[in-house]
C-alpha cells in the first residue's frame, strides 16, 4: 500500500494542538482551548482522542506488514515501545520536578498517570491483542468494553466530580492519592484507560478499512460513513451517558472517534486523492516525528515556566496587546512554531526519531 500522507498530516495536527493547549501562558483563556469543566466537549477535548484514534489506525497498518504474526520479535518490540513511552512520560515529569525545585528523589508524591503513560498502555494493549485476536474479535471487545464501562459509570457514581466517583476510588485504591493528578478524578486514571483502549481499537478497525482492496475513494467514503455512524451513536447515548473527557465516557469515545474518522477521510481526500499536499506540509513535518516533538514541546514548556520566561513574555505581550486571552494563546502558538524549527530540518532530511 502506498503511504497515506493524510496519516502524517492528521497526526501532526494533533501534536501541534497538544503543544498549544498544554502551554497556555495566562489564567484567562478562550474556553475552547481549555478542557471542559466536566461534561461536554471543547476543541481542546478533541486533541488527545484524535491522537489515540490515529495511533490505532497506524498500529493496524504497521502490524499488517508483519501479517499480525505473534512472533517473539514482534511481541518484544511492542512491549519495548510501550515501556519506553511510559518511561519517557515519567522522565518528563521528573524533569519538571527538578526544574521547579522539588525534591527529585522523593517519589512519594510522584504522579504515575499522564498522557504518555496512557498512550503507552493503549498502544501496548491494543497491539498485543491484535496479534492474537482477529479484527472482528477486536471490534466485539471494543463494543463490550464501552458497554461495561458505561454500566459501571451509571451504577457506581461515575459522573460525580468528587472522590466518590468510581474512577477516583479505583485509582486511589491501586495507586493511592499521592501518585495521581491533584483533582478529585484523575483525567488519565487507570479505570478510564479501559474505554481509551476501546477508543484505540476503533481506530485500529478503521485502519483496516484503509487497507481494503478497492479504490481509495471508495475506502474514504466507507471511513466517512463509519465516522458519521459513530458520531450519531455517541450523540444518541449522550442523553444517558454524557460526553466527558475526564472519565473518558463511552459517548465521548464514540463521538470523538466518529469526528476523527470524518476528519481523516476529509484530509485524505485532499492530500491522497487530490494531491494538494503543499497546503499541509507544516503539519506533515510534525506528523513524521510526533511523540519526539510532543516531548520536546513539553520540555520547552517546562523550562520556560521554571525560569520565569513564560510569565515575563506573557506580561510583556500584555503591554502592547491588552487582551489576556489572546496573549495567552499567542504564547502557546509561538511555542508550537518554535518547536517547528526542530521539526522542519528533521522532515527535510528524512530523519525519523521513533518512540
Amino acid at each position: 500500500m502506498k503511504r497515506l500522507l493524510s496519516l502524517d498530516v492528521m497526526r501532526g495536527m494533533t501534536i501541534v494542538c497538544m503543544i498549544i493547549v498544554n502551554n497556555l501562558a495566562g489564567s484567562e483563556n478562550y474556553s475552547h482551548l481549555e478542557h471542559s469543566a466536566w461534561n461536554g466537549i471543547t476543541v481542546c477535548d478533541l486533541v488527545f482522542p484524535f491522537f489515540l484514534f490515529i495511533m490505532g489506525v497506524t498500529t493496524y497498518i504497521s502490524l499488517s506488514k508483519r501479517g499480525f504474526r505473534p512472533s517473539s520479535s514482534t511481541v518484544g518490540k511492542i512491549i519495548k515501545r510501550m515501556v519506553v513511552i511510559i518511561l519517557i512520560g515519567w522522565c518528563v515529569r521528573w524533569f519538571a520536578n527538578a526544574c521547579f525545585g522539588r525534591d527529585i528523589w522523593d517519589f512519594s508524591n510522584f504522579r504515575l498517570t499522564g498522557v504518555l503513560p496512557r498512550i503507552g498502555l493503549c498502544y501496548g494493549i491494543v497491539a498485543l491483542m491484535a496479534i492474537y485476536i482477529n479484527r472482528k474479535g477486536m471490534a466485539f471487545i471494543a463494543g463490550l468494553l464501552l458497554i461495561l464501562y458505561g454500566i459501571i459509570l451509571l451504577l457506581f457514581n461515575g459522573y460525580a466530580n468528587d472522590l466518590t466517583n468510581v474512577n477516583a476510588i479505583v485509582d486511589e485504591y491501586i495507586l493511592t492519592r499521592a501518585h495521581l493528578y491533584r483533582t478529585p478524578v484523575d483525567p488519565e486514571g487507570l479505570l478510564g484507560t479501559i474505554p481509551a483502549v476501546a477508543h484505540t481499537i476503533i481506530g485500529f478497525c478503521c485502519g483496516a478499512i484503509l487497507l481494503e482492496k478497492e479504490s481509495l475513494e471508495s475506502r474514504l467514503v466507507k471511513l466517512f460513513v463509519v465516522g458519521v455512524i459513530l458520531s450519531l451513536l455517541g450523540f444518541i447515548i449522550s442523553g444517558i451517558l454524557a460526553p466527558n473527557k475526564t472519565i473518558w465516557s463511552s459517548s465521548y469515545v464514540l463521538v470523538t472517534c466518529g469526528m476523527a474518522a470524518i476528519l481523516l477521510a476529509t484530509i485524505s481526500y485532499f492530500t491522497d486523492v487530490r494531491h494538494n499536499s503543499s497546503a499541509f506540509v507544516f503539519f506533515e513535518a510534525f506528523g513524521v516525528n510526533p511523540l519526539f516533538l510532543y516531548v520536546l514541546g513539553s520540555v520547552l514548556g517546562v523550562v520556560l515556566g521554571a525560569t520565569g520566561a513564560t510569565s515575563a513574555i506573557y506580561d510583556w505581550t500584555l503591554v502592547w496587546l491588552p487582551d489576556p486571552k489572546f496573549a495567552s494563546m499567542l504564547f502557546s502558538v509561538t511555542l508550537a512554531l518554535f518547536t517547528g524549527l526542530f521539526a522542519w530540518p528533521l522532515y527535510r532530511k528524512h530523519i525519523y526519531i521513533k518512540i
Side-chain angles (χ1 to χ4, degrees), residues 340-355:
L341 296 178
F342 296 86
W344 185 249
L346 293 175
Y347 167 73
R348 291 289 299 217
K349 295 180 180 180
H350 304 285
I351 298 174
Y352 307 123
I353 303 173
K354 294 185 178 181
I355 298 178

Side-chain angles (χ1 to χ4, degrees), residues 6 59 71 88 133 139 141 167 184-185 237 240 249:
S6 55
T59 298
S71 65
I88 289 175
I133 305 172
I141 290 173
N167 284 269
V185 182
I237 69 171
I240 303 173
S249 65

Side-chain angles (χ1 to χ4, degrees), residues 94-242:
W94 182 87
F95 178 74
N97 288 342
C99 288
F100 282 97
R102 305 185 187 108
D103 185 355
I104 59 175
W105 304 118
D106 179 13
F107 294 100
S108 60
N109 292 290
F110 189 85
R111 186 188 177 201
L112 297 175
T113 57
V115 172
L116 286 173
R118 174 165 285 185
I119 288 174
L121 286 173
C122 288
Y123 164 76
I125 293 170
V126 173
L128 289 173
M129 288 173 60
I131 60 178
Y132 291 105
I133 305 172
N134 62 36
R135 180 160 50 101
K136 289 183 179 180
M138 297 272 287
F140 175 79
I141 290 173
L144 184 62
L145 289 177
L146 292 180
I147 291 172
L148 291 177
Y149 184 67
I151 293 173
I152 290 172
L153 292 180
L154 293 175
L155 294 180
F156 300 101
N157 220 22
Y159 278 93
N161 190 11
D162 54 44
L163 293 177
T164 67
N165 188 299
V166 63
N167 284 269
I169 293 172
V170 171
D171 289 339
E172 187 164 356
Y173 179 78
I174 297 175
L175 297 177
T176 74
R177 174 59 42 185
H179 298 295
L180 298 169
Y181 194 67
R182 301 300 189 269
T183 61
V185 182
D186 192 309
E188 283 87 38
L190 293 178
L191 189 61
T193 301
I194 293 175
V197 166
H199 191 117
T200 310
I201 293 174
I202 293 174
F204 179 89
C205 293
C206 286
I209 295 175
L210 291 176
L211 287 190
E212 290 181 354
K213 295 181 179 180
E214 53 185 303
S215 68
L216 179 57
E217 290 91 336
S218 298
R219 285 177 272 159
L220 295 182
V221 169
K222 282 187 178 180
L223 183 62
F224 190 91
V225 171
V226 168
V228 171
I229 293 173
L230 288 172
S231 297
L232 289 176
L233 183 58
F235 284 121
I236 289 172
I237 69 171
S238 291
I240 303 173
L241 295 162

Side-chain angles (χ1 to χ4, degrees), residues 17-330:
C17 290
M18 286 170 85
I19 294 173
I20 290 173
V21 301
N22 287 344
N23 293 282
L24 297 169
S27 57
E28 293 184 52
N29 296 291
Y30 296 113
S31 59
H32 274 285
L33 292 181
E34 295 186 322
H35 293 297
S36 300
W38 192 240
N39 291 338
I41 299 177
T42 66
V43 173
C44 180
D45 293 327
L46 298 176
V47 180
F48 193 9
F50 277 21
F51 185 86
L52 284 187
F53 175 87
I54 203 70
M55 183 177 72
V57 173
T58 55
T59 298
Y60 183 92
I61 294 173
S62 175
L63 291 177
S64 68
K65 297 175 183 177
R66 303 175 185 174
F68 299 101
R69 290 183 295 273
S71 65
S72 58
S73 174
T74 299
V75 171
K77 288 180 179 179
I78 291 171
I79 294 176
K80 178 183 176 181
R81 187 177 187 226
M82 175 182 68
V83 172
V84 167
I85 293 173
I86 294 172
L87 288 177
I88 289 175
W90 289 344
C91 286
V92 171
R93 177 109 352 96
W94 182 87
F95 178 74
N97 288 342
C99 288
F100 282 97
R102 305 185 187 108
D103 185 355
I104 59 175
W105 304 118
D106 179 13
F107 294 100
S108 60
N109 292 290
F110 189 85
R111 186 188 177 201
L112 297 175
T113 57
V115 172
L116 286 173
R118 174 165 285 185
I119 288 174
L121 286 173
C122 288
Y123 164 76
I125 293 170
V126 173
L128 289 173
M129 288 173 60
I131 60 178
Y132 291 105
I133 305 172
N134 62 36
R135 180 160 50 101
K136 289 183 179 180
M138 297 272 287
F140 175 79
I141 290 173
L144 184 62
L145 289 177
L146 292 180
I147 291 172
L148 291 177
Y149 184 67
I151 293 173
I152 290 172
L153 292 180
L154 293 175
L155 294 180
F156 300 101
N157 220 22
Y159 278 93
N161 190 11
D162 54 44
L163 293 177
T164 67
N165 188 299
V166 63
N167 284 269
I169 293 172
V170 171
D171 289 339
E172 187 164 356
Y173 179 78
I174 297 175
L175 297 177
T176 74
R177 174 59 42 185
H179 298 295
L180 298 169
Y181 194 67
R182 301 300 189 269
T183 61
V185 182
D186 192 309
E188 283 87 38
L190 293 178
L191 189 61
T193 301
I194 293 175
V197 166
H199 191 117
T200 310
I201 293 174
I202 293 174
F204 179 89
C205 293
C206 286
I209 295 175
L210 291 176
L211 287 190
E212 290 181 354
K213 295 181 179 180
E214 53 185 303
S215 68
L216 179 57
E217 290 91 336
S218 298
R219 285 177 272 159
L220 295 182
V221 169
K222 282 187 178 180
L223 183 62
F224 190 91
V225 171
V226 168
V228 171
I229 293 173
L230 288 172
S231 297
L232 289 176
L233 183 58
F235 284 121
I236 289 172
I237 69 171
S238 291
I240 303 173
L241 295 162
N244 185 303
K245 190 265 179 189
T246 301
I247 59 175
W248 215 275
S249 65
S250 301
S251 60
Y252 175 75
V253 170
L254 294 172
V255 170
T256 54
C257 278
M259 295 174 71
I262 291 170
L263 178 61
L264 179 59
T266 303
I267 294 173
S268 189
Y269 172 75
F270 288 106
T271 59
D272 302 309
V273 177
R274 299 292 297 273
H275 302 293
N276 294 326
S277 59
S278 58
F280 300 93
V281 68
F282 174 77
F283 297 112
E284 183 187 358
F286 275 83
V288 295
N289 286 299
L291 289 180
F292 169 74
L293 293 169
Y294 172 73
V295 171
L296 177 61
S298 299
V299 169
L300 289 173
V302 167
V303 172
L304 291 172
T307 58
T310 298
S311 298
I313 295 171
Y314 175 68
D315 292 340
W316 174 78
T317 305
L318 286 176
V319 173
W320 57 274
L321 186 66
D323 182 340
K325 293 181 179 180
F326 189 80
S328 180
M329 180 188 70
L330 182 61

